[in-house]
Amino acid sequence: MRSYVIRLHTVLARRGDGGQATAEYALVLLGAALIALLLIAWATAGGGAGKIGQLLDTVLDTIIGKVA
């Protein structure tokens, strides 16, 4: 059994990391999608919509106050 594990490890070690970048890219995309979904859920379901509205009102009022 031990020799099988050693041979398996040797075979896997020789394979290299050619597909590793693709896997990392996929994980980053999944993480970004999860964060986007959580943000959308917070903004639409909870008090996020009101807070975002207040933030945009404050930003626009500040910009209009500096321009006018």
Side-chain angles (χ1 to χ4, degrees), residues 8-62:
L8 179 63
H9 182 287
T10 304
V11 168
L12 292 176
R14 288 183 190 164
R15 285 179 37 182
D17 57 354
Q20 185 174 357
T22 303
E24 290 173 354
Y25 183 69
L27 288 174
V28 168
L29 286 178
L30 286 174
L34 177 64
I35 291 172
L37 287 174
L38 290 173
L39 181 64
I40 290 169
W42 172 78
T44 57
K51 290 181 181 180
I52 291 174
Q54 289 175 354
L55 175 66
L56 291 176
D57 287 342
T58 303
V59 169
L60 289 175
D61 289 342
T62 303

